[in-house]
Amino acid sequence: MAAKAPFTFDQPPEVDKCSDAAKAEILDECEEVFSQLQKIQNMVISADTEACDGERNDAPDYLNALAAELDQLKQMEPKLISTNPEILAAVGRDELTTLNDQLDMVVTYYETKRESLQESLRREKLWLQEKKQVLNAVTDQVEAVRLENDKLTESSKLLDMKRKIKKMKDYQATLMETLSDLLEEHFPVPDQGRGTAGRKKTTTETEVDILPLNEVLELLTNKTLETPHEPYVTMDDRFWQPYVEVLLRYGIATRHSEDHTKIRLESFY
C-alpha cells in the first residue's frame, strides 16, 4: 500500500476519504497558492518600507493604479483551487452535510417556538372563553333587570318612590330624635331661677325664655335651607352666650364679619 502524502491543511471529513492521488493534487495546489500569498505579503511589506523611507512624488498616480487594480479584482470571478471531480464532490458533500446540520438546528428551533406559540394560543383561547362567559352572565342579568322594569306599571313605580321617601323621612326623624336626646342630656337649658354671683333677681328684671341648643341648631339649619343667599340669624337675648361660644369654637357656626350679633351655620360641603 502506498504511503499517504503529508497533508497539513485543515480538511473536511469528506476530503479525508478521497484517494491518495487526489490528496496529493490538492496539497500541491494549496502549497502553490500559499507561496503566492507569501510573495504578495512580501511585496506589501516592501511597499510599506519604501513609503516610510521617503515620500513618493507619484503618490496620486500610485493610488489611482491601486484603485484600478482593486476594481479589476472585484470584477474577477472566483477560481476553484482544484478541478478534480473527486475533490469537488467530497467538498460538496461536506458543504451539504454542514448545511443539513444547520437546517436541522433551524427546524428544531422553530418546532420549539411553535409549541410555545401553541401553548400561548391555548391560554388566550381559554381566557377569551372565560370573558365570554362573564359577558353572557352580565348580559343576562341586565336583560332580566330590563324586563323587570318593563313589567312595573306607573302606579307601582310611584308606590315604590313613596315607600323610599317615607323610609328616608323615618330615618331623618330617628336621627333628629337621637340628636335631641343627646343635646338635652349634655346641653340642658340653663336654670333661669338661679342668680349669678349670688345676686337675686329683682322684680324689674324681665324673664327671657332661653332657646335650647337643639332649637338654635334647627333655627340655623332652616335659615340656611330657606334663604341660602342670606343664611345669617340675628341673635337676641334668647341665645345663651355659652352655647353660642360652643358653636363658634367647634366650627359648627360662624359669626358675621361686620355684625357680631349675626351667626350662620358653617358650610360643611
Side-chain angles (χ1 to χ4, degrees):
M1 180 180 294
K4 285 187 177 181
F7 191 73
T8 58
F9 297 99
D10 293 337
Q11 50 186 340
E14 295 294 338
V15 175
D16 190 51
K17 298 178 182 179
C18 297
S19 62
D20 294 339
K23 292 180 180 180
E25 181 181 350
I26 191 64
L27 179 60
D28 294 338
E29 293 178 355
C30 290
E31 288 179 351
E32 182 180 354
V33 173
F34 184 71
S35 63
Q36 293 178 1
L37 290 175
Q38 285 183 335
K39 290 179 181 179
I40 294 173
Q41 183 178 8
N42 294 332
M43 292 173 61
V44 172
I45 295 174
S46 175
D48 290 341
T49 304
E50 292 177 358
C52 294
D53 292 341
E55 184 179 1
R56 296 175 55 95
N57 295 328
D58 55 349
D61 297 337
Y62 182 69
L63 182 61
N64 294 332
L66 289 179
E69 186 177 356
L70 179 60
D71 293 338
Q72 185 178 4
L73 291 176
K74 288 181 179 180
Q75 295 176 0
M76 292 178 59
E77 295 291 336
K79 183 180 178 182
L80 296 176
I81 297 178
S82 175
T83 57
N84 191 317
E86 185 179 359
I87 297 294
L88 295 177
V91 173
R93 284 193 298 269
D94 183 72
E95 291 294 332
L96 290 176
T97 302
T98 304
L99 181 60
N100 185 54
D101 294 338
Q102 294 176 353
L103 292 176
D104 287 339
M105 294 175 60
V106 172
V107 170
T108 303
Y109 168 77
Y110 278 102
E111 286 181 351
T112 306
K113 188 69 174 178
R114 183 183 61 181
E115 293 177 357
S116 177
L117 292 175
Q118 288 178 347
E119 180 64 21
S120 300
L121 180 61
R122 186 189 65 81
R123 291 195 299 267
E124 292 295 332
K125 287 183 178 180
L126 181 61
W127 177 84
L128 181 60
Q129 184 178 2
E130 293 176 354
K131 294 302 178 182
K132 285 183 177 180
Q133 292 177 356
V134 173
L135 179 60
N136 293 334
V138 174
T139 304
D140 294 341
Q141 186 175 2
V142 171
E143 184 66 19
V145 173
R146 188 184 65 80
L147 293 176
E148 184 178 356
N149 291 334
D150 292 341
K151 292 179 181 178
L152 293 176
T153 61
E154 293 295 332
S155 58
S156 61
K157 291 180 180 179
L158 183 60
L159 290 176
D160 184 65
M161 184 63 65
K162 289 182 178 180
R163 184 172 58 254
K164 290 180 179 179
I165 293 175
K166 184 179 182 302
K167 183 178 179 181
M168 292 301 299
K169 287 183 176 181
D170 294 340
Y171 181 66
Q172 181 185 7
T174 302
L175 289 179
M176 296 301 295
E177 184 178 356
T178 304
L179 179 61
S180 178
D181 295 340
L182 178 66
L183 294 176
E184 184 178 356
E185 178 181 357
H186 296 282
F187 298 94
V189 179
D191 188 2
Q192 299 179 4
R194 182 181 301 173
T196 58
R199 296 182 303 171
K200 295 182 179 180
K201 297 183 65 176
T202 62
T203 56
T204 58
E205 293 179 350
T206 58
E207 294 183 359
V208 180
D209 292 333
I210 297 177
L211 294 175
L213 185 57
N214 61 335
E215 293 186 9
V216 174
L217 290 174
E218 185 177 356
L219 183 61
L220 292 173
T221 303
N222 293 335
K223 185 66 174 176
T224 301
L225 295 177
E226 293 173 358
T227 57
H229 58 282
E230 184 59 35
Y232 288 95
V233 175
T234 303
M235 295 183 296
D236 51 22
D237 294 338
R238 298 177 302 164
F239 288 78
W240 198 42
Q241 288 301 317
Y243 285 169
V244 175
E245 291 298 328
V246 168
L247 296 178
L248 295 174
R249 180 171 299 181
Y250 289 99
I252 300 174
T254 181
R255 198 185 295 272
H256 197 281
S257 60
E258 298 179 357
D259 190 355
H260 68 280
T261 62
K262 293 182 178 181
I263 61 174
R264 70 174 176 84
L265 192 68
E266 186 63 64
S267 300
F268 298 100
Y269 52 86

